[in-house]
Amino acid sequence: MEILVFGQSGTPVIFFPTRSAHFYDFENWKIIDALKPKIEAGEIQVYCVDSIDCESFYSKSAPVQRIARHLQYEKYILREVVPFIRKQNKKKGLIAAGCSLGGYHAVNIALKHPTIFTKVVGMSARYDLTQPLPFFADLFDGYFDEDIYYNMPNHFIPKISDPGLLRQLRKMDITLVIGREDTFLDNNQHLSHSLNLIQVPHQLYVWDEEAHRPRYWREMVKIYL
């Protein structure tokens, strides 16, 4: 799979694309330009990964195959992308970030693997893909199993009780950003409430209007990444 890398040094960022988008879209949408001062100053190094959403959540295969394909993608990130980054960049820390479905990918993988990621920024994302919403379907057509449960933050986060895992999560810098008129506002508030239940510090920022657009993401990355 293809990756675009921006910068030579700084804290590495795995930047997940929006729904069914690709590794070059953040550059095309000028979001990388918005990050240029931080990249050129050596504060961050950005790794734009590709997606396989059309083969997983948005495929026409059976729901069990959709979640299985997603888990293969997660293994690719953990077993190929992370080691690739570590070979090039010895800076301590690793950030996961994304917009829309990319925000889901970032938050889901970071909260599941808090020993690998030190910071996560989810922008304009939803964290329960099984919940039907206006213009957004349940991506598993009513099917639900253990694999789906452990990949939906709004389901698994409030049930975490392992002291070691909680300790790691409480060290992570967690930021959720959503628009006041976005369809996913309740979804973000739910995740924020769930994190509060298990006493995990985080930030939830609610922007005015509907902020599910590249022009808003260009501003968000300047502030939160």
Side-chain angles (χ1 to χ4, degrees):
M1 294 180 68
E2 293 169 291
I3 294 179
L4 270 175
V5 183
F6 298 92
Q8 303 296 322
S9 61
T11 305
V13 180
I14 300 179
F15 208 172
F16 292 90
T18 61
R19 182 181 74 182
S20 304
H22 295 291
F23 63 99
Y24 47 77
D25 284 307
F26 285 136
E27 183 181 27
N28 290 348
W29 295 338
K30 309 296 182 187
I31 293 169
I32 296 299
D33 282 349
L35 287 169
K36 225 172 219 180
K38 290 185 178 183
I39 293 170
E40 291 178 351
E43 294 177 30
I44 57 173
Q45 185 182 35
V46 182
Y47 292 77
C48 291
V49 294
D50 211 350
S51 81
I52 60 161
D53 299 329
C54 290
E55 299 174 27
S56 58
F57 300 137
Y58 284 88
S59 77
K60 297 191 182 203
S61 58
V64 69
Q65 293 172 316
R66 291 175 214 166
I67 193 65
R69 189 65 171 139
H70 166 71
L71 290 172
Q72 289 176 328
Y73 179 69
E74 183 180 87
K75 284 180 184 175
Y76 155 70
I77 298 295
L78 296 174
R79 297 181 185 180
E80 296 187 43
V81 175
V82 172
F84 171 71
I85 290 171
R86 291 306 179 203
K87 279 183 185 175
Q88 297 192 75
N89 187 322
K90 304 304 179 188
K91 179 87 173 178
K92 203 171 179 181
L94 180 60
I95 302 169
C99 307
S100 189
L101 191 61
Y104 155 82
H105 283 298
V107 169
N108 185 57
I109 199 169
L111 295 183
K112 286 172 64 181
H113 301 279
T115 59
I116 296 174
F117 295 91
T118 53
K119 176 176 175 178
V120 61
V121 182
M123 295 164 275
S124 305
R126 67 165 164 163
Y127 303 108
D128 180 4
L129 307 183
T130 70
Q131 180 186 9
L133 296 166
F135 309 109
F136 295 91
D138 167 2
L139 297 186
F140 299 98
D141 305 324
Y143 176 79
F144 196 82
D145 64 13
E146 191 175 68
D147 284 337
I148 293 172
Y149 172 85
Y150 283 111
N151 284 278
M152 299 299 126
N154 280 356
H155 286 270
F156 74 78
I157 284 295
K159 304 289 177 63
I160 293 175
S161 59
D162 178 77
L165 183 54
L166 287 169
R167 224 173 8 252
Q168 290 296 329
L169 285 169
R170 287 165 186 160
K171 291 179 187 174
M172 188 184 295
D173 183 346
I174 301 169
T175 298
L176 311 174
V177 194
I178 193 71
R180 194 173 304 282
E181 296 176 16
D182 285 0
T183 304
F184 303 150
L185 175 61
D186 288 348
N187 219 265
N188 280 253
Q189 291 171 330
H190 186 127
L191 181 54
S192 177
H193 176 67
S194 297
L195 289 166
N196 284 332
L197 282 178
I198 60 171
Q199 299 178 344
V200 171
H202 64 285
Q203 297 84 40
L204 171 64
Y205 296 104
V206 180
W207 285 41
D208 289 335
E209 303 176 351
E210 184 182 358
H212 202 118
R213 295 181 174 91
R215 67 185 176 93
Y216 284 95
W217 298 333
R218 285 192 286 271
E219 297 307 311
M220 290 175 185
V221 295
K222 293 178 191 175
I223 300 168
Y224 305 118
L225 265 189

